[in-house]
Amino acid sequence: MSARNRRLPRHRAWPLTTTDINEYLGPYMTRVTDLAFLTGHDSGTIVLGAAWIAPNPRNYGRGIHPDTVGFRIDVHPVAATERAATRAVLRAQALPQLHEWITQAIAADETWQSTDHQHHWRLTDGHLMHRDEA
């Protein structure tokens, strides 16, 4: 798919594909309610994001639609010249860590699951760091 059809400038590219994520998450993909390839402004050092969307009513007591509860994954664009190197790091480190984070979230207690959570992977100078964010 060309950059124009993907709505990304030519100098930007996504470091992962849907196939990459499906390959690592396997049956957990059924728990992913939203997989987004972001097209907006520069995300800085963030290359991958994941979030747990808790079953909290967002419309003043009218309940929550079950399709909104689950995991959201965001793939952030990177410089096209860094795509291959970033992809290799994400496949080797971030995707196994994402799998583990989802595994732990599914097994987490009710207190953890009743609150929204975010986890980001940042790539700086070839070093991948990840952490939960508020």
Side-chain angles (χ1 to χ4, degrees), residues 18-119:
T18 302
T19 303
D20 293 329
I21 296 167
N22 282 329
E23 179 181 318
Y24 278 86
L25 294 185
Y28 289 148
M29 276 304 290
T30 60
R31 303 279 191 121
V32 175
T33 59
D34 186 26
L35 174 58
F37 291 84
L38 303 182
T39 60
H41 299 292
D42 188 6
S43 302
T45 59
I46 298 174
V47 290
L48 182 65
W52 164 252
I53 309 302
N56 298 326
R58 289 166 176 74
N59 57 359
Y60 300 105
R62 304 234 186 206
I64 185 162
H65 196 282
D67 289 346
T68 63
V69 177
F71 296 96
R72 185 184 76 228
I73 299 173
D74 298 327
V75 179
H76 296 251
V78 298
T81 57
E82 298 172 6
R83 180 194 182 274
T86 302
R87 182 173 191 257
V89 171
L90 292 178
R91 286 179 54 87
Q93 297 175 31
L95 289 179
Q97 292 167 353
L98 173 63
H99 184 275
E100 181 63 25
W101 187 76
I102 289 175
T103 301
Q104 290 175 355
I106 291 169
D109 62 17
E110 185 177 336
T111 303
W112 191 94
Q113 289 188 1
S114 65
T115 308
D116 291 341
H117 295 275
Q118 291 184 2
H119 198 89

Side-chain angles (χ1 to χ4, degrees), residues 119-133:
H119 198 89
H120 290 112
W121 284 262
R122 298 172 184 273
L123 188 63
T124 308
D125 298 325
H127 298 288
L128 188 68
M129 297 180 296
H130 66 101
R131 69 179 194 159
D132 283 331
E133 312 244 347

